[in-house]
C-alpha cells in the first residue's frame, strides 16, 4: 500500500469518528470532550489528508517503508492522544499519561515527516 492511500483512508475513518462523536455530544448536550473531538479532527482528518497529498505529489516517497511507518505512528499517536484528552476533559485524570504519551508519539511522527520532507526537497526533480 502507498502512504498516500493509507493517509486518505485513515483520514476518512477519523473524520467519520469525529463527526459521530460530535453528533453524540450535540445530542447529549454534553460538550466536555470538545477538545478531544477537535484534536481527533485536526490530527486525524486534516493532518493525515495533508500528509496524503504530499506523499501523492512525491511518488518516490509514497512507496517507501519510511512513509508508511510515519503514517502508522501518526495514526497510533492520534488515537492515543484523543482518548487521553477525552478522558481528561471528562473528569478522568487517569487520561493524562495517554494524552502526554500520544503527544510524544505524534511529535515523533512529525519529526519523521519533517526529516522525509527535507530529505526529499534536496533531491533534484525527476531523480
Amino acid at each position: 500500500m502507498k502512504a498516500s492511500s493509507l493517509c486518505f483512508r485513515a483520514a476518512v475513518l477519523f473524520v467519520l469518528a469525529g463527526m459521530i462523536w460530535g453528533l453524540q455530544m450535540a445530542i447529549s448536550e454534553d460538550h466536555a470532550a470538545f477538545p478531544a473531538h477537535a484534536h481527533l479532527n485536526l490530527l486525524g482528518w486534516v493532518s493525515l489528508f495533508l500528509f496524503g497529498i504530499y506523499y501523492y505529489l512525491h511518488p518516490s516517497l509514497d512507496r517507501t517503508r519510511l512513509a508508511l511507518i510515519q503514517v502508522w505512528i501518526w495514526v497510533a499517536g492520534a488515537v492515543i492522544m484523543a482518548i487521553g484528552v477525552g478522558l481528561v476533559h471528562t473528569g478522568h485524570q487517569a487520561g493524562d499519561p495517554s494524552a502526554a504519551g500520544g503527544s510524544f508519539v505524534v511529535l515523533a511522527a512529525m519529526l519523521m515527516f519533517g526529516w522525509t520532507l527535507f530529505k526529499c526537497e534536496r533531491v533534484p526533480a525527476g531523480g
Side-chain angles (χ1 to χ4, degrees):
M1 174 178 282
K2 295 187 296 184
S4 61
S5 296
L6 177 58
C7 286
F8 296 141
R9 290 174 182 182
V12 168
L13 294 175
F14 273 111
V15 77
L16 288 170
M19 292 172 81
I20 292 167
W21 198 356
L23 285 168
Q24 180 273 326
M25 287 189 295
I27 291 167
S28 69
E29 297 182 5
D30 179 1
H31 295 88
F34 175 75
H37 164 78
H39 276 77
L40 185 68
N41 286 330
L42 181 60
L43 297 175
W45 167 241
V46 177
S47 296
L48 274 173
F49 207 86
L50 291 172
F51 290 150
I53 291 170
Y54 181 83
Y55 285 131
Y56 183 81
L57 292 174
H58 295 86
S60 62
L61 287 174
D62 199 10
R63 292 175 168 39
T64 65
R65 185 171 177 208
L66 179 64
L68 279 173
I69 291 169
Q70 182 266 323
V71 174
W72 277 115
I73 291 172
W74 186 272
V75 167
V79 169
I80 293 166
M81 184 193 300
I83 291 169
V85 172
L87 287 169
V88 169
H89 284 277
T90 56
H92 302 90
Q93 294 307 310
D96 276 334
S98 294
S103 297
F104 282 109
V105 172
V106 168
L107 175 62
M110 183 55 80
L111 289 169
M112 289 176 70
F113 180 74
W115 186 82
T116 302
L117 180 138
F118 284 103
K119 177 184 172 196
C120 172
E121 294 302 321
R122 290 183 299 188
V123 176

